Structure formats: structure tokens, C-alpha cells
Amino acid sequence: MKIVFNKSFTLLVFLVTVLWGCEKIEGEATPPAFDATPYIFSKTEANTVITAKNEVKWFFDNLHIDNKYVSFKDPSIKYYTKNVSPNADSDIAYIYQFEGEWFRIERLDYTRIQVILKENQSGVSRTLKVSVRAGNASTDIILTQLGE
């Protein structure tokens, strides 16, 4: 009886020690650290580069134009990809540049995005929101171009 107790006790201590000492590695990934506050542009033509405070591998995820979701596959959006895996279910994660009627957005690398906006002659402000995703973490980049 004493030998069984010692083996059981030793096994219990070992399991508790192993489980207590293991680090849980699941949870949020590190998001791309682009500024979360909206970028405001005048109505004139703009060409600028925005920079993240960290370098993580990310991809363009969701796109909203004037608060309306727009698919990258929408005919009003033209997109360009690089290094698409032949086994990929979709090429969306490989987009490095996309453009619409009044904007062009390009990932220069994993810390910089070039933003080009055409002059806003409509008299009404317009907004572009794009999500950039790294694993299960994302950051929204909001660009507003004033109309007046």
C-alpha cells in the first residue's frame, strides 16, 4: 500500500508541476500598430505614406467606402496580388495594392502603406476604412478626405 501511495503521489506532484509551469500560448496575435485615429486630408490631391510602429506580417482584410462594405472582388475595385500560393483558396490575402475611383492604397512593406487620393471635387467628405489583419488581430485604418 505504501509503495502505491508513493508512486501515485509522485505522479500527482509531477503532473501538477508540469501543468502549472506550462505557458498558455493561445489568444490574440499582435496587430499591426498603425495609428487608430482617423487620418484627415484636405480636398486637394494627396500622396502620403503612413507607418506602423511595429513590423508584423499582415494583409488587407475588409474595405468600407463611405461606411458601406465593399468586397475587393467588386467591379469598382481593382486589386493587384503578389506571390499567390497555387494551393490558396483565395487570392485576397495576397493583395498588396488596390484602387477605386478616387483612391489607391499600396502596401510598400509590412510597416508602410502608401495612400494616394484624387482631388475631391464633390463638395462632400468621403471616407475609406480598410482593416489590416495579422492572424486573429486587426487594426482599422480610417482615411477621410474633406469635401470643402
Side-chain angles (χ1 to χ4, degrees), residues 2-17:
K2 189 173 185 173
I3 294 175
V4 172
F5 174 74
N6 284 341
K7 286 183 182 180
S8 298
F9 182 72
T10 304
L11 179 61
L12 179 64
V13 169
F14 174 75
L15 289 174
V16 168
T17 304

Side-chain angles (χ1 to χ4, degrees), residues 24-96:
K24 190 174 183 181
I25 303 187
E26 62 186 61
E28 287 291 315
T30 302
F34 289 99
D35 196 346
T37 58
Y39 296 87
I40 309 294
F41 298 90
S42 69
K43 72 177 197 167
T44 61
E45 187 176 291
N47 184 342
T48 192
V49 173
I50 59 175
T51 305
K53 296 178 184 101
N54 64 349
E55 183 173 355
V56 295
K57 190 173 181 179
W58 56 265
F59 61 93
F60 292 116
D61 190 28
N62 286 315
L63 176 63
H64 290 80
I65 300 173
D66 294 326
N67 298 316
K68 178 184 165 204
Y69 171 77
V70 178
S71 168
F72 287 106
K73 301 275 187 179
D74 187 281
S76 67
I77 304 299
K78 186 172 184 178
Y79 69 89
Y80 305 89
T81 60
K82 285 184 187 175
N83 304 322
V84 178
S85 169
N87 299 324
D89 292 334
S90 170
D91 61 351
I92 298 297
Y94 300 91
I95 293 173
Y96 72 94

